């Protein structure tokens, strides 16, 4: 048993090439990566129709990685739009009835074929979102690996949902945290709070050590 713990200690102490990932690196990556202007997924940008354009005004959704979409609460409740996109899995990273949460559950989507999971996360510096990193990653991966599409949301689609998608890219696609942030932020304006970013820092260093 002692040998096992010594091995783990050695793994934990391994020096990382290029040094440790830091909060400062991730914050700088966010501010240096500007979102590109792209049409709303599912709509033809060349179609010239007033009603068609008006419908889009209530949609806040971006494809941030192949088959993965991040959006806001209102879009998550638009079942017609989700079905038009072909969403198979929906992750609500702000499930709850209080202010700042989105009051949906599996029952809300029972008249669709969408598979649902809800995480009761507050967008606070002190929230431990890391305990759901692998739950979120596995759920998103189930969608992608079976040819489906995942829609991940919170209230605004900026912090909680973005953090879950970043964790997926790091765990399942073996991206470094900074690369995952560039991938997502170039497609959508995201802004995880610093507490979430610090937890992504810890995940990044842990994953990097495991892959040495």
């Amino acid at each position: 048993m002692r040998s096992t713990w010594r091995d783990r200690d050695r793994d934990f102490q391994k020096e990382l090439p290029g040094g440790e990932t830091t909060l400062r690196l991730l914050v700088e990556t966010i501010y240096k990566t500007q979102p590109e202007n792209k049409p709303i997924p599912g709509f033809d940008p060349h179609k010239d129709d007033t009603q068609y354009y008006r419908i889009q005004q209530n949609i806040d959704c971006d494809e941030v990685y192949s088959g993965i979409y991040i959006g806001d609460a209102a879009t998550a409740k638009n079942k017609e739009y989700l079905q038009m996109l072909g969403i198979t899995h929906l992750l609500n990273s702000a499930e709850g009835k209080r202010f700042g949460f989105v009051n949906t559950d599996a029952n809300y989507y029972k008249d669709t074929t969408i598979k649902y999971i809800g995480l009761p996360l507050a967008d606070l510096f002190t929230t431990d979102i890391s305990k759901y990193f692998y739950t979120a990653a596995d759920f998103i991966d189930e969608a992608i690996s079976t040819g489906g599409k995942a829609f991940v949301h919170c209230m605004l689609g900026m912090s909680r949902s973005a953090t879950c998608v970043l964790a997926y890219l790091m765990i399942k696609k073996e991206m470094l945290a900074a690369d995952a942030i560039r991938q997502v932020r170039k497609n959508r304006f995201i802004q995880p709070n610093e507490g979430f970013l610090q937890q992504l820092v810890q995940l990044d260093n842990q994953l990097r050590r495991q892959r040495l």
Side-chain angles (χ1 to χ4, degrees):
M1 180 63 72
R2 283 185 205 148
S3 175
T4 301
W5 282 109
R6 276 201 297 271
D7 290 342
R8 289 178 184 172
D9 286 344
R10 276 198 295 272
D11 286 343
F12 186 73
Q13 293 165 7
K14 284 179 184 174
E15 285 194 20
L16 293 171
E20 302 271 323
T21 301
T22 64
L23 177 61
R24 180 178 178 178
L25 170 65
L26 299 196
V27 171
E28 287 179 351
T29 303
I30 284 175
Y31 285 107
K32 287 179 179 177
T33 308
Q34 295 305 311
E36 300 169 3
N37 190 17
K38 294 185 176 182
I40 299 171
F43 290 96
D44 180 357
H46 304 295
K47 186 173 180 178
D48 188 13
D49 180 84
T50 304
Q51 182 63 24
Y52 191 73
Y53 180 74
R54 191 174 291 127
I55 293 170
Q56 296 179 55
Q57 302 314 296
N58 299 317
I59 302 295
D60 179 8
C61 172
D62 295 287
E63 187 173 18
V64 298
Y65 188 82
S66 182
I68 301 176
Y69 301 79
I70 295 179
D72 68 355
T75 307
K77 292 181 177 181
N78 189 333
K79 290 182 276 190
E80 185 179 355
Y81 175 68
L82 297 177
Q83 289 174 303
M84 182 180 80
L85 270 187
I87 299 300
T88 58
H89 292 63
L90 185 139
L91 192 163
N92 176 0
S93 60
E95 185 185 72
K97 297 180 180 180
R98 293 176 292 151
F99 179 78
F101 289 76
V102 185
N103 186 18
T104 60
D105 54 23
N107 193 52
Y108 182 83
Y109 299 96
K110 70 178 182 180
D111 58 342
T112 75
T113 57
I114 295 172
K115 186 171 182 178
Y116 173 91
I117 188 173
L119 307 178
L121 295 164
D123 187 19
L124 298 173
F125 181 89
T126 53
T127 297
D128 181 8
I129 196 171
S130 67
K131 65 183 178 182
Y132 293 112
F133 280 166
Y134 283 85
T135 299
D138 287 344
F139 185 76
I140 296 170
D141 191 57
E142 180 182 285
I144 304 307
S145 63
T146 56
K149 294 181 179 179
F151 184 90
V152 186
H153 76 93
C154 44
M155 273 298 291
L156 300 177
M158 292 172 58
S159 183
R160 289 166 281 189
S161 54
T163 302
C164 288
V165 172
L166 292 170
Y168 160 79
L169 292 174
M170 293 163 63
I171 293 167
K172 298 296 183 178
K173 298 301 179 182
E174 299 191 1
M175 287 190 187
L176 296 176
D179 293 336
I181 286 172
R182 290 187 195 98
Q183 169 63 41
V184 175
R185 190 166 158 98
K186 74 179 182 181
N187 291 298
R188 181 176 178 83
F189 183 86
I190 62 164
Q191 194 82 47
N193 72 52
E194 285 203 2
F196 292 173
L197 287 177
Q198 184 58 53
Q199 292 171 68
L200 289 173
V201 166
Q202 293 165 355
L203 176 66
D204 199 45
N205 288 324
Q206 177 189 27
L207 291 172
R208 289 174 64 198
R209 282 195 168 85
Q210 289 175 5
R211 292 164 184 162
L212 283 176

